[in-house]
Amino acid sequence: RELMVDEKTAISRGVLEGVYLLGQVWNTYRKQLTVKEAVRYTCADYNAGEFSSRNAAFQLRVAKLSGEKLTLDGDLLIYRNGAPLEAPSQTERALASFQSEIGPLVARQDLMLEKNAGFPDTTTARTVCRLYRRKTKKACPVAVLPTGAANEVAKLKLGRSYTPNNYAKACLRRFTQARRAFSD
């Protein structure tokens, strides 16, 4: 307890940063989704990474438009030790396959904002959404549960891998129980 509340420890700073990041993701989803949906995707992102659910929805649109099979894991770039590599990701290659159809994009620069709340406002994200709506006659989903992004640390601790989907389900169940208890 002392370590968690001591402002000089990494634990205290980590808690503050974690709460800030969760709040940023929550606020983004809550502006566009119901409370339960916002909880679901915030929890999934806590498990899979910042804005993974939103980025997985972007990957879904890119996959539909390009005809490429993409892993909807929410990673728009390839990372090593937290830094993006120069090598193009599957998502970048899929974007390039229909880039001539939608005009020149600054995709790499825009994809660098994948962990930022402002990514949906980039030229690339807006253009892909507009083309998706035109071709599918469907709205662009705000978020989808990431796939292919399992938490292997949980496998070591719990004996099973914890996917964003089952993490989000458990989190939503706890949220619903707490809400029910609070309203009683």
Side-chain angles (χ1 to χ4, degrees):
R1 178 160 162 54
E2 282 181 31
L3 289 174
M4 287 189 71
V5 296
D6 184 351
E7 290 183 22
K8 296 175 186 166
T9 65
I11 294 174
S12 175
R13 184 172 179 201
V15 169
L16 291 174
E17 288 177 8
V19 169
Y20 170 78
L21 291 173
L22 277 173
Q24 187 178 26
V25 172
W26 164 261
N27 289 332
T28 299
Y29 289 137
R30 189 59 191 107
K31 289 175 188 169
Q32 303 169 66
L33 301 170
T34 66
V35 170
K36 281 190 174 186
E37 289 173 316
V39 168
R40 175 180 289 118
Y41 295 122
T42 299
C43 290
D45 289 4
Y46 178 79
N47 178 265
E50 299 150 87
F51 297 111
S52 290
S53 300
R54 180 206 58 201
N55 296 346
F58 175 80
Q59 289 174 310
L60 175 77
R61 294 190 285 278
V62 170
K64 195 70 116 174
L65 294 170
S66 68
E68 300 284 330
K69 185 176 179 177
L70 296 178
T71 301
L72 307 181
D73 60 3
D75 282 329
L76 306 183
L77 299 172
I78 302 170
Y79 290 87
R80 180 171 292 135
N81 298 326
L85 300 179
E86 289 296 321
S89 66
Q90 289 181 319
T91 304
E92 285 179 281
R93 287 194 300 273
L95 270 171
S97 76
F98 66 92
Q99 190 168 350
S100 62
E101 189 176 346
I102 57 180
L105 297 175
V106 286
R108 178 71 180 193
Q109 293 169 328
D110 289 350
L111 295 181
M112 295 286 284
L113 299 173
E114 72 172 303
K115 297 186 185 305
N116 183 295
F119 174 72
D121 298 325
T122 64
T123 301
T124 302
R126 285 193 324 262
T127 304
V128 166
C129 183
R130 189 169 42 251
L131 185 59
Y132 177 86
R133 283 193 318 259
R134 189 169 69 226
K135 287 202 169 191
T136 65
K137 307 292 187 236
K138 296 179 183 176
C140 294
V142 172
V144 298
L145 289 171
T147 58
N151 184 337
E152 293 306 315
V153 174
K155 190 170 190 170
L156 292 172
K157 288 181 181 178
L158 305 172
R160 69 181 174 115
S161 184
Y162 224 42
T163 66
N165 184 31
N166 60 20
Y167 189 88
K169 281 181 185 176
C171 188
L172 187 57
R173 188 173 48 252
R174 287 189 303 274
F175 172 80
T176 303
Q177 289 169 347
R179 206 166 190 199
R180 219 177 285 129
F182 184 72
S183 63
D184 285 347

